[in-house]
């Protein structure tokens, strides 16, 4: 089997090479993203492997099918960039529904600790031999109340980590996990109680119509003054303009963002030589109490291994048996 791999980053290759060799699969890596201009590169391949910013629209799907490509293997969970409905019956769409939840949950805690213990400031100071502690006062997490919104795979792990720190963990989920509640690790409450009681709020729910801008001006007005907001889930869960206003008004104490609503054209790439057009992101990054990472929470060796193993496994299963449990259908 021959796979054309698009939007390749250096960190993708070691794990994919390992599982390709085990499975006797050949991978050709392309740096370019898959779109209408680059689709001809897929000629002679059995499958394409794509990520979150490749454009797999109807025209690309039709051309892939005409070239004899039989599968689109997403090396991520989300598939909003693929016209799944159009692909039905023409070409199989496969994905990686789950990988190390520890990667994302641990990154969330890393951001929280960095923020409240001012590690990002201290690191820069000590490199300049500035050993002053002025302005670096943090606070203990022990005894604080954290509100976890979404207690699926990642939210549950994050809740357990917080429990380990001796925090009170409140949770909100459209579908509460009874076993988690019964274990005593979290107490499920309403969304308004999360806002009213939490000193720290962490988002781990998916982006849906229900959760779009779940953190907006109204929600922020219900939060405690000084609340720390963590978002390692999806950018559009937060109305960034409302967040910026609440930070300027000194109502939000700190924000840690691994995702941003308009991240598509910026994140994953080196834009350091460019003028940033997005004034809201630029202003957020300029704040002393905001930390932004570039959709990095998934990036651990273990998660990359899981992703490569599942992606190659998906393709082998499809080509050997005609079936794959991780195939996406438009009815999903
Ligand atoms: P999951 O499906 O296991 O859990 C999601 C949870 O959210 C479920 O318990 C679900 O019931 C709950 N939920 C659904 N609708 C809700 C609503 N309206 N209000 C509250 N809760 C709701 O997903 P997961 O694997 O834990 O991933 C969580 C999020 O993390 C996903 O949105 C994913 O996109 C994001 N993520 C980010 C990165 C990153 O690198 N930053 C990596 C992986 C996943």
């Amino acid at each position: 089997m021959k796979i054309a791999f698009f939007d390749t980053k250096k960190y993708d290759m070691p794990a994919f090479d390992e599982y390709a060799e085990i499975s006797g699969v050949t991978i050709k890596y392309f740096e370019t993203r898959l779109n209408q201009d680059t689709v001809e590169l897929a000629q002679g391949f059995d499958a394409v492997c794509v990520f979150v910013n490749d454009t797999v629209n109807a025209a690309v799907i039709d051309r892939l099918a005409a070239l004899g490509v039989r599968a689109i293997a997403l090396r991520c969970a989300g598939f909003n960039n693929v016209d799944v409905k159009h692909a039905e019956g023409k070409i199989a769409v496969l994905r990686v529904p789950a990988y190390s939840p520890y990667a994302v949950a641990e990154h969330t805690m890393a951001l929280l600790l960095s923020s409240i213990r001012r590690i990002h400031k201290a690191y820069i100071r000590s490199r300049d031999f500035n050993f002053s502690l002025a302005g670096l006062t943090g606070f203990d997490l022990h005894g604080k109340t954290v509100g976890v919104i979404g207690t699926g795979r990642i939210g549950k792990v994050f809740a357990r980590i917080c429990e380990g720190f001796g925090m009170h963990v409140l949770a909100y989920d459209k579908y509460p996990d009874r076993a988690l509640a019964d274990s005593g690790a979290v107490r499920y409450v309403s969304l308004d109680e999360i806002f009213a009681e939490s000193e720290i709020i962490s988002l781990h729910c998916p982006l849906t119509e229900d959760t779009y801008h779940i953190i907006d001006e109204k929600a922020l007005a219900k939060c405690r003054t000084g609340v720390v907001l963590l978002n390692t889930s999806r950018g559009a869960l937060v109305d960034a303009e409302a967040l910026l206003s609440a930070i300027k008004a000194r109502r939000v104490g700190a924000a840690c963002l691994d995702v941003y609503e308009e991240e598509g054209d910026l994140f994953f790439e080196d834009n350091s030589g460019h003028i940033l057009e997005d004034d809201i992101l630029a202003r957020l990054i300029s704040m002393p109490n905001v930390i932004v990472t570039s959709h990095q929470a998934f990036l651990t060796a273990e998660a990359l291994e899981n992703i490569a193993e599942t992606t190659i496994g998906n393709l082998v299963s499809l080509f050997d048996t005609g079936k794959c449990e991780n195939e996406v259908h438009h009815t999903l």
Side-chain angles (χ1 to χ4, degrees), residues 99 104 152-154 173 175 204 206 211 232-234 258 295 298:
Y99 49 87
V104 182
R153 283 176 287 257
I154 296 168
D173 197 298
Y175 309 99
H204 299 288
T211 61
T232 57
S233 193
R234 279 293 177 265
D258 186 51
H295 208 135
F298 75 100

Side-chain angles (χ1 to χ4, degrees), residues 9 22 87-88 111 155-156 185 204 208 224-225 282 290 304 317:
K9 299 281 184 286
I22 294 169
E88 198 77 40
L111 286 173
K156 257 201 280 280
H204 299 288
T208 63
R224 290 175 69 151
T225 299
V290 174
L304 291 172
S317 164

Side-chain angles (χ1 to χ4, degrees), residues 1-232:
M1 184 201 315
K2 287 169 72 184
I3 305 172
F5 195 103
F6 286 88
D7 200 11
T8 308
K9 299 281 184 286
K10 269 211 166 96
Y11 55 73
D12 291 316
M13 293 161 74
F16 270 92
D17 282 343
E18 181 191 334
Y19 286 98
E21 197 182 335
I22 294 169
S23 309
V25 165
T26 307
I27 300 180
K28 170 117 176 136
Y29 294 103
F30 295 106
E31 267 184 42
T32 182
R33 290 179 181 166
L34 177 63
N35 55 41
Q36 262 169 279
D37 298 328
T38 61
V39 65
E40 296 306 320
L41 292 169
Q43 180 145 32
F45 290 90
D46 303 299
V48 292
C49 181
V50 300
F51 195 50
V52 295
N53 288 318
D54 294 285
T55 306
V56 196
N57 56 20
V60 170
I61 288 167
D62 287 342
R63 191 62 197 137
L64 288 173
L67 290 171
V69 175
R70 288 166 53 201
I72 298 161
L74 286 146
R75 53 182 187 278
C76 52
F79 47 89
N80 51 295
N81 54 330
V82 178
D83 188 338
V84 176
K85 194 172 175 188
H86 192 78
E88 198 77 40
K90 295 190 181 79
I91 190 164
V93 181
L94 318 174
R95 68 174 184 133
V96 182
Y99 49 87
S100 172
Y102 307 103
V104 182
E106 290 175 15
H107 187 77
T108 311
M109 182 48 89
L111 286 173
L112 174 59
L113 284 172
S114 300
S115 171
I116 66 156
R117 301 309 300 268
R118 321 296 294 149
I119 304 294
H120 56 306
K121 296 285 168 196
Y123 173 75
I124 290 168
R125 272 190 203 182
S126 52
R127 283 173 64 90
D128 209 18
F129 309 123
N130 172 357
F131 300 118
S132 156
L133 296 182
L136 297 186
T137 308
F139 61 82
D140 292 1
L141 285 180
H142 187 269
K144 295 294 183 301
T145 299
V146 59
V148 178
I149 300 181
T151 53
R153 283 176 287 257
I154 296 168
K156 257 201 280 280
V157 174
F158 183 68
R160 293 277 187 200
I161 292 172
C162 292
E163 186 194 17
F165 272 77
M167 303 172 80
H168 304 296
V169 188
L170 302 179
Y172 171 75
D173 197 298
K174 206 171 169 186
Y175 309 99
D177 182 323
R178 280 295 136 223
L180 184 69
D182 291 346
S183 75
V186 311
R187 183 161 65 85
Y188 279 100
V189 296
S190 69
L191 201 50
D192 276 352
E193 282 171 274
I194 293 265
F195 294 146
E197 291 180 35
S198 304
E199 284 142 316
I200 296 145
I201 294 177
S202 196
L203 303 175
H204 299 288
C205 54
L207 177 63
T208 63
E209 274 177 19
D210 282 355
T211 61
Y212 175 78
H213 285 186
I214 194 170
I215 303 297
D216 60 4
E217 194 185 340
K218 269 162 94 182
L220 288 165
K222 292 177 190 168
C223 289
R224 290 175 69 151
T225 299
V227 66
V228 178
L229 179 70
L230 310 171
N231 187 9
T232 57

